[in-house]
Amino acid sequence: EQGGTLTFSDEAIERVLQLSSGHPYLIQLLCQRIWERAHEKESDKVPLIDQAFVEAAVPNSLEAGYQAFAWLWDGLSPAEKIYTAAFAEATEEGGTIAEDEVIHILATHAARLRTQEVEMAPLDLVRRRVLAEVDDHIYRFNIELFRRWIRAYKPLREVKDELDQIDPLADQT
């Protein structure tokens, strides 16, 4: 805006902050994609960015930020990965879910996981600020863009298959 190449509505600014949770890199990533989309076509008018325009830039932002999200993902333990994959699949934006519901989902899809590791995952994910505890044993994702990236690029079925390849004996159970 200061450079006079874009104008953001208040709702668009709020949406960028909601999606990024105020993380500077994610704000930059999303706003760069917004700017690129807004200037795809030559025009003398300064584009007005609204909430829908911000939302339309999200898929490209997830793709462009793949390496950064993968770096975060790679820092998670196997139990944290399977937990977040199940969590992301089971929730929508801003959604909360009880710890026991995630455990139930995992029992259906990945019964062989060691219960103690999975039960510790939410506490570790809160410490890492991936999840936030909003009530007693009820959680939500801290960063919506990361939830969407996991949902798009690390679906539960694929994460389970990947973990099964790490421990071939698990495939037999």
Side-chain angles (χ1 to χ4, degrees):
E1 273 193 356
Q2 288 179 350
T5 59
L6 291 177
T7 302
F8 283 84
S9 70
D10 290 343
E11 293 81 14
I13 293 169
E14 182 61 31
R15 189 69 185 131
V16 168
L17 293 173
Q18 288 169 346
L19 292 166
S20 67
S21 295
H23 190 285
Y25 171 76
L26 297 177
I27 292 171
Q28 179 186 4
L29 175 70
L30 188 54
C31 287
Q32 182 178 6
R33 298 303 167 251
I34 290 167
W35 192 92
E36 289 170 356
R37 286 179 55 94
H39 291 284
E40 284 176 340
K41 298 176 184 165
E42 292 291 324
S43 176
D44 293 337
K45 295 174 69 176
V46 175
L48 174 61
I49 305 305
D50 61 10
Q51 192 171 351
F53 200 96
V54 171
E55 196 62 45
V58 168
N60 188 256
S61 298
L62 297 178
E63 184 179 330
Y66 186 92
Q67 291 302 319
F69 291 119
W71 180 79
L72 291 171
W73 177 259
D74 291 342
L76 300 178
S77 71
E80 291 168 336
K81 287 178 180 180
I82 197 83
Y83 194 95
T84 56
F87 198 105
E89 193 169 291
T91 58
E92 295 298 324
E93 181 173 343
T96 61
I97 190 168
E99 187 177 310
D100 57 345
E101 290 179 54
V102 178
I103 299 296
H104 177 73
I105 293 166
L106 290 172
T108 304
H109 290 85
R112 63 118 183 134
L113 286 178
R114 285 176 272 181
T115 308
Q116 185 176 10
E117 288 178 352
V118 173
E119 287 178 0
M120 294 302 296
L123 298 175
D124 293 335
L125 291 164
V126 167
R127 267 188 246 122
R128 292 174 180 257
R129 298 183 184 194
V130 173
L131 299 180
E133 188 170 14
V134 296
D135 204 350
D136 194 30
H137 300 284
I138 298 175
Y139 303 92
R140 69 167 171 74
F141 262 88
N142 263 337
I143 301 174
E144 174 59 17
L145 287 175
F146 191 44
R147 185 195 70 79
R148 290 189 188 191
W149 182 85
I150 292 169
R151 198 169 184 167
Y153 294 101
K154 298 295 180 181
L156 180 56
R157 167 58 74 199
E158 289 180 21
V159 173
K160 181 199 175 295
D161 291 346
E162 182 180 307
L163 294 177
D164 285 345
Q165 290 176 6
I166 292 171
D167 184 3
L169 289 176
D171 243 355
Q172 298 172 11
T173 60

